[in-house]
């Protein structure tokens, strides 16, 4: 029995409505408990901020597309390396860090749970192999299911329950956590080099529209009682005028909401909040989007904030990535996956001097600040699409400090600055709100009960930052706070101190979460999938699902479905 | 002048990026001896590998490092240097003067591949032959040589001036395949023969070949010029002037000696 | 007797996973669905194997215990100033992961066989990227298949049947019927010719077929296959159309095609021995297909121009995507050579030729690649796993391997093991040990254990784990 007590810290635990209260946090055997014995090891956190460990709802850290991105960019790795130490493995960093480096760097910032949002089901084995080599954090992955032939056919034929049962099979087979939908219908069309351009475009050969796919899978999600909502990357991503599509996407499942519970998560909203008819007239759709979100409770968002940096874009949105390649002429990877999805990678440099990039930078922050309820908008960069996760402290500084925003504003493209809504926004997030957008809100949106808070029974994942809220005005001294968020004073994972003063002191492995849905018809589904297997895929049925022994520290979350 | 005299023959690769006037300047001999050097997988100090002589007889303005003997296992000599001189008595290893922005490096013998890689300024002069990828970028990058001058008295290998953006590479001998591949500006001047595919996938810039060379089918003849200007100097021709690489929508200029390349005479029909 | 289905075939990059094995008394007696290469491996793998660890003592290889062999191997690695650990493409990802940890611990250069096969392809991917797909995508959709300098008929025997010309997909079907009728045509023509020779004692003269340019079959509305190579291969016989390239001119041909598909013009009358008019027709075919795919082989990566051939081929594919959908894929050789690139990349950032000697990964093929290091005689110890560099490397490199301590982890007797100082024979992965491997299109599949290994043989991963442990012990003792 190992015990630990964090003493006298200023605790920010929004899920338990604790706002900077000076209190002790007791830990026993990896869980938060009421109290521990007096002789328990203590951490003196006086003058420091104590928060639940950071949670990232959307970060591309493992799997086929991430790794192809790594392979593509030796010039990106060579400038940022990690040397082997007595405790840690070596690796490379910058926009797509190697696996070990990814785990260490997140942990050093006080993060303890990561969601890998893009897993081609056929290549799930690859994602999980890599996740096993990402130390320090708990993790999970979302299988891409929006263009899966079974989904398209079932939903077209009105077979929602069948589809739900098939998706339950798929979550089990791929050890997945949530239903990921990327440019619904567009990826199937991309198989022949085409795309869909609105919610009501018909997907070639399948006679179904993106609207039907989203609504169908939203219903499926509810039937399966999944802890997270559908996780949607909208159609028309990265195109001027696409804020309309984003709003329509949210609208199209409005009627499926029950009470105040969200039914859809729109990811990296910045990339779908473009107003204007072309790149030269690009402006921010943040106003319209936040107005909609402020008036509706069935949706959560994450930012997809842009950082001025040389990064690597990677999504399952094949046609979008092709478009990016056409704009930049950069190197381009495309990877279409049979019967399921596609994927693309293009290196990309966000420049302050570019009107488009600077507007994108502004849009992300505008949305985060204009949406009144911080539980609805979570902080991400869609790593590495908007920029690498290591720049999170910069974003926190922009969110907590108008002064920090103004400094960056003064350096960006003039046209973008003129159009930016940021000068009109005074809002500065408090530490309590920052704790929501970086952990509590993320865990809540994920339905990940033991994470994101410090109440009794929660996992003892804790981040302690060297910020004294009584002495430090984070709005003015954002640089100090930024530094503190970059290097946690302590990171505690499952009750053990794993990071001290921003350095790894104990390498640990994390759990892999997945949703184990029980349905009433598993055998019928097995038979149906088996029957079509050779027709749809080029691998054998028996080699497709991952055996449990394959998953590193497998942690199934049992869920009972309504089918 | 600091003289580095190898204590023994080296057989493992040595990471020698610390041998640079910028790093040596203002350091005592003792401090220089303590500079980190990796030999294979063993971390050591410069003083373990070299006898260091400080020949400060004539306090000249320009800081000079002289390596006596064979330096062919030393990688990254003069990397990132911005001033001063390095003189290598024998052969020099790979990545000589990588990323340098000023100063000069002179090698009496041969130099390995990637000499002047990512170079931005200064001069490298190699009295012997040079390897492949002279003035090239790092793998995966398009940022090749962007200034300065590389002079090779002997022959050079493949992909000289790969992704070159500016500057001059002069080769007095012959050059291997793909000289100036992907180049977007700058000049490559070959006084000997080229093995072929010069200017492949070039976007812009100038390549001059005084000896024999095959020409890629994706170049189109433009004119015959009596002479061509290289680094302010007029080189006597006549030269066929080709434009390419058409496959990459390129507007690169490839000058090829008319007299040394009679096999190209059929192109003249397009000029009538 | 046991039947085991869905077995993956640990031979080539096609990595078929539908093999059915019949096992009797821990022996594979039949391998259904396997090609000749696969069957040979499953049925004969154990015929000439080493079963016990060996160490060279006074010039002779003598049997030793596993512990002694492991200790000797660990000692060699710890003592080395610049050890090379090479091979990896014929073992499991699990073994590779452990191998990388060991390589990092001893400050080794880690390189794999792609350094001598598709390494050049990777270099060009790092310059321009690669538009590709999984093989099923092509089975379902590709209506134009190009095998360029690759001959699957011999090297990847079931590639065409499973994924391309003879496979059935959702939108495109198998072309085996048209192939058969063409074959029948050729056969009957040959028969008539033979008969005419016998009976009429003279050559039978066909009316010459008046075909303008390419054969008409390439214009049909069905899946078509084109072979481009320096010689007419068996695959070319099965294809709708064959283009013969003058050796060493693929690069020129590819660049010329790029000009033509972009509607440009050339000053020359022929490229690579093919008239421009014919190339224009080929360019039309490429532009007008619905989904095209180029499969390229070592004929492109290892001939004159090397990675720049692939640079041009990928750029051709990029150009074609302005007009239609076009993809490209290397025909990887060993069953897990794709996997080794993948594992190297996720752990170190780089797919092969990774130098860990300075405590972090460095990568620069030409400088940090096995052949180059050996040719310059820089490595002072080599560990080879599941590979035979002595037989396949240039002579100077092979000679230098033998000069220094050599560890071989390989069940087979090869020129490399014959020169080794320490031989540790493992269980055969994919037959006697399980694991993970990646098909040439990056699809991961399980390697299965179908029979028990000899008692004296551990899996590659276990052997590497033991060496790693021993290395750490020796290091501790030294400090």
């Amino acid at each position: 029995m190992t015990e630990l007590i964090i003493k006298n810290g200023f605790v920010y635990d929004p899920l338990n409505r604790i706002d900077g209260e000076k209190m002790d946090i007791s830990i026993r055997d990896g869980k938060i408990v009421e109290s521990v014995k007096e002789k328990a090891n203590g951490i003196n956190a006086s003058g420091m901020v104590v928060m639940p460990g950071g949670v990232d709802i959307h970060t591309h850290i493992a799997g086929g597309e991430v790794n192809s991105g790594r392979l593509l960019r030796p010039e990106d790795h060579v400038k940022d390396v990690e040397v082997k130490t007595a405790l840690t493995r070596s690796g490379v960093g910058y926009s797509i860090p190697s696996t070990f480096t990814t785990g260490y760097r997140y942990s050093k910032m006080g993060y303890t749970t990561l969601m890998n949002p893009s897993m081609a089901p056929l290549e799930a084995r690859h994602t999980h192999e890599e996740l096993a080599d990402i130390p320090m954090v708990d993790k999970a992955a979302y299988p891409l299911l929006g263009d899966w032939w079974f989904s398209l056919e079932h939903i077209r034929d009105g077979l929602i329950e069948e589809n739900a049962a098939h998706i339950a099979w798929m979550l089990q087979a791929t050890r997945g956590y949530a239903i990921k939908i990327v440019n619904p219908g567009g990826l199937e069309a991309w198989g022949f080099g085409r795309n869909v351009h609105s919610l009501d475009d018909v997907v070639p050969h399948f006679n179904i529209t993106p609207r039907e796919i989203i609504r169908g899978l939203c219903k499926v999600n509810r039937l399966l009682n999944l802890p997270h909502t559908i996780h949607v990357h909208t159609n028309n991503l990265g195109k001027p005028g696409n804020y309309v599509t984003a709003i329509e996407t949210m609208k199209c499942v409005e009627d499926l909401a029950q009470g105040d519970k969200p039914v859809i998560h729109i990811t990296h909203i910045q990339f779908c909040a473009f107003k204007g008819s072309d790149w030269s007239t690009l402006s921010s759709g943040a106003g319209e989007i936040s107005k909609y979100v402020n008036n509706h409770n069935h949706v959560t968002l994450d930012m997809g904030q842009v950082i001025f940096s040389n990064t690597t874009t990677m999504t399952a949105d094949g046609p979008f990535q092709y478009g990016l390649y056409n704009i930049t002429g950069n190197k381009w990877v495309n990877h279409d996956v049979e019967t399921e999805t596609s994927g693309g990678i293009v290196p990309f440099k966000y420049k302050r001097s570019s009107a488009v990039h600077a507007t994108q930078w502004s849009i992300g922050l505008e949305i985060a600040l204009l949406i009144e309820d911080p539980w609805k908008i979570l902080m991400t960069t869609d790593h590495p699409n908007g920029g690498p996760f290591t720049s999170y402290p910069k974003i926190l500084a922009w969110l907590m400090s108008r002064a920090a925003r103004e400094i960056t504003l003064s350096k960006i493209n003039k046209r973008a600055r003129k159009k930016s809504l940021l000068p009109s926004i005074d809002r500065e997030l408090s530490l309590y709100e920052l704790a929501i957008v970086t952990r509590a809100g993320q865990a809540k949106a994920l339905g990940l009960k033991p994470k994101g808070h410090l109440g009794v029974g929660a996992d003892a994942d804790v981040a302690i930052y060297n910020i004294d809220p009584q002495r430090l005005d984070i709005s003015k001294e954002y640089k100090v706070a930024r530094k503190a968020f970059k290097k946690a004073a302590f990171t505690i994972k499952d009750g053990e101190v794993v990071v001290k003063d921003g350095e790894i002191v104990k390498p640990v492995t994390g759990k892999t979460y997945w949703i184990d849905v029980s349905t009433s018809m598993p055998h019928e589904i097995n038979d149906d999938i088996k029957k079509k297997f050779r027709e749809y895929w080029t691998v054998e049925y028996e080699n497709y699902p991952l055996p449990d022994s394959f998953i590193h520290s497998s942690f199934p979350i049992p869920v009972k479905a309504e089918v | 002048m600091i003289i580095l005299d190898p204590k023994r023959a080296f057989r493992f690769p040595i990471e020698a990026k610390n041998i640079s006037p910028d790093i040596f300047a203002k350091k005592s001999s003792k401090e220089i001896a303590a500079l980190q050097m990796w030999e294979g997988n063993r971390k050591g100090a410069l003083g373990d590998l070299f006898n260091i002589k400080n020949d400060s007889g004539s306090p000249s303005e320009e800081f000079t490092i002289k390596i006596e003997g064979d330096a062919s296992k030393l990688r990254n000599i003069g990397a990132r240097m911005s001033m001063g001189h390095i003189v290598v008595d024998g052969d020099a290893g790979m990545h000589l003067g990588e990323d340098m922005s000023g100063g000069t490096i002179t090698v009496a013998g041969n130099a390995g591949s990637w000499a002047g890689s990512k170079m931005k300024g200064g001069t490298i002069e190699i009295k012997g032959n040079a390897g492949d990828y002279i003035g090239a970028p790092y793998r995966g990058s398009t940022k090749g040589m962007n200034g300065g001058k590389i002079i090779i008295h002997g022959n050079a290998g493949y992909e000289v001036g790969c992704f070159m953006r500016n500057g001059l590479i002069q080769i007095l001998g012959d050059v291997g395949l793909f000289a100036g591949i992907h180049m977007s500006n700058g000049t490559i001047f070959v006084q000997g023969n080229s093995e072929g595919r010069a200017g492949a996938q070039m976007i812009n810039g100038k390549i001059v070949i005084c000896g024999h060379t095959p020409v890629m089918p994706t170049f189109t003849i433009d004119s015959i010029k009596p002479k061509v200007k290289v680094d302010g100097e007029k080189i006597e021709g006549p030269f066929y002037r080709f434009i390419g690489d058409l496959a990459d929508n390129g507007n690169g200029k490839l000058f090829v000696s008319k007299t040394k390349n009679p096999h190209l005479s059929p192109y003249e029909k397009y000029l009538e | 007797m046991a039947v085991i289905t869905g077995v993956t075939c640990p031979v080539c990059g096609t990595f078929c996973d539908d093999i059915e094995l019949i096992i009797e008394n821990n022996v594979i007696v039949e391998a259904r669905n396997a090609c000749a290469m696969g069957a040979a491996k499953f049925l004969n793998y154990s015929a000439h194997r080493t079963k016990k660890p060996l160490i060279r003592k006074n010039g002779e290889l003598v049997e030793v215990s596993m512990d002694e062999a492991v200790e000797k191997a660990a000692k060699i690695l710890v003592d080395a100033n610049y050890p090379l650990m090479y091979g990896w493409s014929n073992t499991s990802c699990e073994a590779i992961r452990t191998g990388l940890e060991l390589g990092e611990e001893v400050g080794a250069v880690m390189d794999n066989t792609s350094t001598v096969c598709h390494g050049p392809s990777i270099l060009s991917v790092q310059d321009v990227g690669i538009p590709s797909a999984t093989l099923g995508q092509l089975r379902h959709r590709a209506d134009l298949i190009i095998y360029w300098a690759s001959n699957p008929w011999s090297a990847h025997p079931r590639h065409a049947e499973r994924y391309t010309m003879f496979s059935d997909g959702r939108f495109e079907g198998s072309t085996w019927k048209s192939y058969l009728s063409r074959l029948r045509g050729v056969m009957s023509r040959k028969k008539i010719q033979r008969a005419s020779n016998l009976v009429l004692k003279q050559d039978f003269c066909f009316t010459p077929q008046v075909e303008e340019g390419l054969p008409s079959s390439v214009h049909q509305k069905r899946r078509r296959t084109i072979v481009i190579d320096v010689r007419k291969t068996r695959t070319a016989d099965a294809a709708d159309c064959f283009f013969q390239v003058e050796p060493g001119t693929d690069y020129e041909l590819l660049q010329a095609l790029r000009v033509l598909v972009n509607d440009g013009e050339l000053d020359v009358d022929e490229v690579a021995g093919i008239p421009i008019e014919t190339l224009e027709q080929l360019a039309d075919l490429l532009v007008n297909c619905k989904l095209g795919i180029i499969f390229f082989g070592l004929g492109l990566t290892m001939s004159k121009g090397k990675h720049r051939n692939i640079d041009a081929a990928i750029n051709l594919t990029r150009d074609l995507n302005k007009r239609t959908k076009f993809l490209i894929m290397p025909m990887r050789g060993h069953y897990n050579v794709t996997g080794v690139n993948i594992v190297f990349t996720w752990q170190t950032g780089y797919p092969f030729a990774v130098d860990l000697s300075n405590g972090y990964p460095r990568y620069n093929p030409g400088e940090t690649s096995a052949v180059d290091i050996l040719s310059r005689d820089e490595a002072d110890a080599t560990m080879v796993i599941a590979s035979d560099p002595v037989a396949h490397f240039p002579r100077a490199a092979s000679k230098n391997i033998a000069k220094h301590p050599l560890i071989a982890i390989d069940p087979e007797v090869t020129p490399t093991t014959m020169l080794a100082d320490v031989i540790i024979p493992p269980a055969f992965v994919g037959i006697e040990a399980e694991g993970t491997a990646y098909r040439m299109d990056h699809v991961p599949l399980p390697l299965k254990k179908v029979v028990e290994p000899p008692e004296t043989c551990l899996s590659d991963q276990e052997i590497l784990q033991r060496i790693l442990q021993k290395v750490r012990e020796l290091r501790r003792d030294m400090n």
Side-chain angles (χ1 to χ4, degrees), chain C residues 375-395:
Chain C
S375 303
R376 295 191 299 261
D377 197 18
E378 284 166 353
D380 58 345
T382 307
M383 185 176 111
V384 174
I385 178 161
S387 175
D388 184 13
V390 170
H392 296 114
F393 278 10
R395 257 186 67 176

Side-chain angles (χ1 to χ4, degrees), chain A residues 148 150 166 169 522-537 539-545, chain C residues 5-6:
Chain A
W148 184 29
F150 279 95
H166 279 74
W169 181 91
H523 298 296
E524 293 93 308
I525 299 311
N526 264 337
D527 291 345
D528 181 55
I529 291 184
K530 201 170 177 177
K531 211 168 62 202
K532 293 185 182 139
F533 216 85
R534 284 191 173 161
E535 200 182 308
Y536 280 24
W537 284 282
V539 301
E540 293 294 292
Y541 167 78
E542 57 200 286
N543 291 329
Y544 192 93
Chain C
T5 60

